[in-house]
C-alpha cells in the first residue's frame, strides 16, 4: 500500500476523539514502518548518488536492507508494543502501535515481489501475496482504485474530526499524494 494511504487509514482508525496528541501518534505509527525505506533509498539516491535502477533492483533486495525492513515491519515487535500499550491503557501509545499494526496488516496481502519478512525475529519467512498495490501483473488495476477510495473516505473522516487546520491540511495533502502516486504507478507500470 502507498505510504499516504497508510497515513490516512491509520489516522482515521486510531486518531479518535479529536485529541491532537492521539492523532499525531496515529500519524507517526502509520508512517514508521515505511520510514527506513525512505531513509535508505533517499540516502542511496541523493547522498551517495546511486542510480535508481541500482537502488530499487539491487539494494532494495539486499540482505542488509531486507533485515532493516524485517525489523520495522515485524508483526512480533509491533504486536508486543501494542500489547504494552493496551496493558498500560495509554491512548497515545495505543494509537501509535495500533496504526503501525494496521500498516503491516494492510501491507501483508498487497506485496508480491517486494514482500517483507513480517515475523522477524521468530522467522525470516516471506509471504509473497498474489496481489500487489503497484504491479498490474499482480492485480494493481483493481487494488489501486480500492486503495484510493478508502483513502478518500479516511481523509474525509480525519477532516471531520475538526482537530485543527494542520491535521486537516495533512489529510488533504496525503490524499493528493495518494492520488498522484497511484496515477504514477498506473502510468509507469501499465503495459
Amino acid at each position: 500500500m502507498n505510504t499516504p494511504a497508510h497515513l490516512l487509514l491509520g489516522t482515521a482508525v486510531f486518531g479518535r476523539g479529536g485529541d491532537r496528541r492521539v492523532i499525531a501518534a496515529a500519524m507517526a505509527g502509520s508512517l514508521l514502518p515505511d520510514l527506513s525505506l525512505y531513509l535508505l533509498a533517499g540516502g542511496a539516491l541523493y547522498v551517495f548518488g546511486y542510480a535508481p535502477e541500482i537502488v530499487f533492483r539491487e539494494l532494495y533486495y539486499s540482505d542488509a536492507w531486507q533485515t532493516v525492513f524485517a525489523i520495522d515491519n515485524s508483526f512480533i515487535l509491533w504486536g508486543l508494543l501494542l500489547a504494552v500499550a493496551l496493558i498500560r491503557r495509554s491512548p497515545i501509545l495505543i494509537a501509535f502501535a495500533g496504526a503501525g499494526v494496521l500498516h503491516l496488516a494492510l501491507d501483508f496481502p498487497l506485496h508480491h515481489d517486494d514482500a517483507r519478512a513480517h515475523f522477524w525475529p521468530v522467522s525470516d519467512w516471506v509471504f509473497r501475496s498474489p496481489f500487489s498495490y503497484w504491479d498490474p501483473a499482480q492485480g494493481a488495476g483493481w487494488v489501486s482504485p480500492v486503495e484510493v477510495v478508502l483513502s478518500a473516505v479516511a481523509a474525509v473522516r480525519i477532516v471531520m474530526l475538526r482537530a485543527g487546520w494542520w491535521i486537516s491540511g495533512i489529510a488533504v495533502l496525503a490524499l493528493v499524494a495518494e492520488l498522484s502516486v497511484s496515477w504514477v504507478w498506473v502510468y509507469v507500470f501499465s503495459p
Side-chain angles (χ1 to χ4, degrees), residues 29-187:
S30 299
L31 296 174
L32 194 59
D34 282 348
L35 182 61
S36 65
L37 171 60
Y38 288 103
L39 293 175
L40 290 170
L45 289 166
Y46 302 112
V47 176
F48 297 107
Y50 285 100
E53 297 79 22
I54 300 293
V55 173
F56 295 108
R57 291 189 182 148
E58 293 178 28
L59 293 175
Y60 181 92
Y61 296 100
S62 70
D63 288 342
W65 283 33
Q66 288 300 311
T67 299
V68 172
F69 299 153
I71 294 167
D72 62 14
N73 281 263
S74 171
F75 276 118
I76 307 298
L77 298 180
W78 280 100
L80 287 171
L81 183 60
L82 181 57
V84 168
L86 291 168
I87 290 167
R88 295 188 64 190
R89 296 182 181 175
S90 166
I92 292 171
L93 194 53
I94 290 169
F96 177 78
V101 169
L102 180 62
H103 180 126
L104 304 184
L106 293 169
D107 268 358
F108 190 75
L110 298 176
H111 281 261
H112 179 70
D113 293 336
D114 56 346
R116 308 218 169 125
H118 283 291
F119 297 99
W120 184 91
V122 174
S123 171
D124 60 356
W125 174 74
V126 174
F127 172 66
R128 300 199 187 283
S129 174
F131 306 109
S132 171
Y133 71 97
W134 64 268
D135 186 352
Q138 302 303 135
W142 67 267
V143 171
S144 184
V146 170
E147 181 178 324
V148 167
V149 168
L150 290 173
S151 295
V153 170
V156 169
R157 178 171 174 2
I158 294 166
V159 169
M160 290 177 64
L161 290 173
R162 300 188 191 285
W165 65 267
W166 70 274
I167 291 173
S168 295
I170 290 171
V172 170
L173 288 174
L175 181 59
V176 169
E178 172 62 27
L179 294 169
S180 301
V181 171
S182 295
W183 180 84
V184 167
W185 289 136
V186 170
Y187 177 74

